[in-house]
Amino acid sequence: METTLVLVKPGGVSRRLNGEILRRIEARGLDIVGLKLLNPSREIVEEHYAEHRGKGFFDDVVNYLCSGSIVAVAVRGTNAVKAIRAMMGATNPLEATPGTVRGDFALTIDDNLTHSSSDPEAAERELALWFPEGLV
Ligand code: CDP
Ligand code: MG
């Protein structure tokens, strides 16, 4: 069993894609074990994207995550990390396969709708950051 983090970014929330994304996660057979809507602080978003600090897109992606409400989802299941990454699709939606969230609903990398943890270590770090109170 693995637990991973999905964030529905502000573009996904404003386009009312929360239900669609949660539906796909559950239809795949994965369990939602943490769920909240929040307006994140700049501090938590900068910590979340710490690996990208100094890169050209860092300020833009931090501003984007802080531009509206997001939904944080903790997802548990067998091979959940890889399964969720595959379901969300490639970072650049133009390279994301149809049938993935990004391949079906996004067009540009700066508005690619979701975040998902890249590996189990990242998942553990990110879940502690977004769900410090713990999971169900
Ligand atoms: O989200 P993912 O793990 O697929 O990609 P990443 O390489 O960890 O980048 C984090 C986020 O930064 C992406 O999801 C994009 O929102 C943003 N980004 C961007 O706007 N332009 C890039 N060239 C690379 C990433
Ligand atoms: Mg990443």
Side-chain angles (χ1 to χ4, degrees), residues 39-52:
N39 297 322
S41 68
R42 182 158 295 269
E43 290 66 38
I44 192 172
V45 173
E46 288 188 351
E47 184 62 30
H48 173 77
Y49 277 132
E51 65 171 310
H52 296 308

Side-chain angles (χ1 to χ4, degrees), residues 11-134:
V13 174
S14 64
R15 287 179 55 200
R16 303 184 176 89
L17 289 169
N18 294 316
E20 173 66 22
I21 292 165
L22 294 176
R23 187 194 65 75
R24 288 177 177 220
I25 290 168
E26 292 195 307
R28 191 74 191 272
L30 296 162
D31 291 318
I32 293 166
V33 293
L35 182 62
K36 58 176 139 179
L37 177 77
L38 70 158
N39 297 322
S41 68
R42 182 158 295 269
E43 290 66 38
I44 192 172
V45 173
E46 288 188 351
E47 184 62 30
H48 173 77
Y49 277 132
E51 65 171 310
H52 296 308
R53 204 184 293 273
K55 294 183 187 168
F57 62 85
F58 181 74
D59 286 346
D60 287 342
V61 74
V62 170
N63 287 335
Y64 173 51
L65 265 283
C66 294
S67 69
S69 300
I70 68 169
V71 170
V73 194
V75 180
R76 185 171 295 153
T78 306
N79 298 314
V81 174
K82 266 197 163 173
I84 284 287
R85 283 288 284 189
M87 286 172 66
M88 297 305 144
T91 306
N92 183 345
L94 288 183
E95 289 159 15
T97 313
T100 64
V101 169
R102 288 163 170 172
D104 286 349
F105 300 112
L107 274 176
T108 61
I109 195 166
D110 56 301
D111 191 14
N112 62 5
L113 302 179
T114 59
H115 164 83
S116 52
S117 306
S118 55
D119 55 59
E121 293 70 37
E124 193 175 344
R125 184 184 77 81
E126 293 168 3
L127 288 164
L129 188 63
W130 293 97
F131 290 95
E133 68 278 20

